[in-house]
Amino acid sequence: MNLLQHYFPALTKQQLSLFQELETEFRATNEAINLVSRPDMDNFAERHLLHSLGIAKVVQFPAGSTVLDVGTGGGLPGLPLAIMFPDVHFHLVDSIGKKIRAVQFMAASLGLHNVTAEQIRAENLRTKYDFVVSRAVARLATFHPWIAHRFKPKASANAGLYYLKGGDLSEEIAESGLKATVTDLSSFFTEEFYETKKVVFVPAK
């Protein structure tokens, strides 16, 4: 967890312990369900925990706000962000039942009372949120309509979608017709993995 401590020196001992516990639980779960590839599992802190927390370099979710994680898979980026922001409620959704069951188990094992996980497609949700996060589920033009109406009418400042993506996104953003702001994670993290990794922000309104 030295990597997380290096980039987020304000993390408490309890948070660092939870991140360590999450890696242990994820590793055990991955043996049964194959949530991420073996090379990625070998670099879990760098490629998954830190990548998820890249969103926290771009936005600070205020206490009491609500965050929807769409296509969470094995709980990324939602579970790491829930550890980072214990006073924020996270709702993690995915259409694949076995992945959601794994997320529910991990959240319970870690005692993350600020997390709920549900097997449902984003477009079938009716609840509204302050923020939406996701990790490269689909092209922006495809993804954004699923969540465009999921924001509270009076959402928090900086409300909107924070989307973890990689590569050259200029064509994809142009195709979507959305007003998007792109932040390079290489501005914060020096590892080679982050050379092309980005957070795309699309405001709620």
Side-chain angles (χ1 to χ4, degrees):
M1 296 300 109
N2 290 344
L3 188 66
L4 302 188
Q5 204 167 13
H6 172 69
Y7 287 116
F8 296 94
L11 286 171
T12 66
K13 284 184 179 179
Q14 184 189 13
Q15 285 173 312
L16 290 167
S17 175
L18 283 171
F19 282 123
Q20 186 67 64
E21 198 177 334
L22 175 57
E23 179 169 354
T24 302
E25 292 286 350
F26 204 100
R27 190 176 297 279
T29 304
N30 203 56
E31 292 291 322
I33 298 183
N34 194 29
L35 298 169
V36 301
S37 69
R38 190 170 295 278
D40 272 9
M41 199 63 244
D42 291 341
N43 298 281
F44 186 72
E46 178 188 319
R47 296 186 181 182
H48 294 287
L49 294 182
L50 191 62
H51 191 209
S52 297
L53 296 180
I55 290 172
K57 289 291 189 184
V58 180
V59 61
Q60 292 290 301
F61 301 129
S65 60
T66 54
V67 181
L68 172 67
D69 175 8
V70 175
T72 190
L76 304 166
L79 291 179
L81 289 170
I83 295 172
M84 173 69 81
F85 299 102
D87 297 324
V88 174
H89 183 77
F90 291 82
H91 188 57
L92 281 52
V93 302
D94 200 284
S95 61
I96 300 174
K98 64 180 181 180
K99 292 185 176 180
I100 282 298
R101 287 191 292 276
V103 170
Q104 290 168 337
F105 176 81
M106 288 189 282
S109 296
L110 270 63
L112 297 178
H113 302 298
N114 61 331
V115 172
T116 54
E118 180 182 7
Q119 181 186 359
I120 189 172
R121 293 186 179 277
E123 55 268 42
N124 294 332
L125 284 165
R126 291 295 171 262
T127 312
K128 295 189 183 292
Y129 306 84
D130 295 295
F131 304 93
V132 176
V133 299
S134 189
R135 196 159 84 142
V137 171
R139 287 179 73 84
L140 204 50
T142 302
F143 182 85
H144 193 264
W146 298 345
I147 56 95
H149 303 295
R150 296 277 58 79
F151 296 104
K152 293 177 182 177
K154 294 182 179 179
S156 302
N158 302 317
L161 168 66
Y162 291 85
Y163 205 21
L164 290 162
K165 297 281 283 184
D168 182 356
L169 301 176
S170 50
E171 181 189 325
E172 184 174 336
I173 290 170
E175 172 196 37
S176 74
L178 297 166
K179 289 184 178 179
T181 305
V182 179
T183 303
D184 293 318
L185 287 178
S186 58
S187 303
F188 309 107
F189 308 142
T190 59
E191 286 71 19
E192 185 180 346
F193 178 76
Y194 291 98
E195 283 182 6
T196 62
K197 299 291 187 288
K198 301 167 174 48
V199 177
V200 180
F201 169 59
V202 180
K205 294 178 181 178

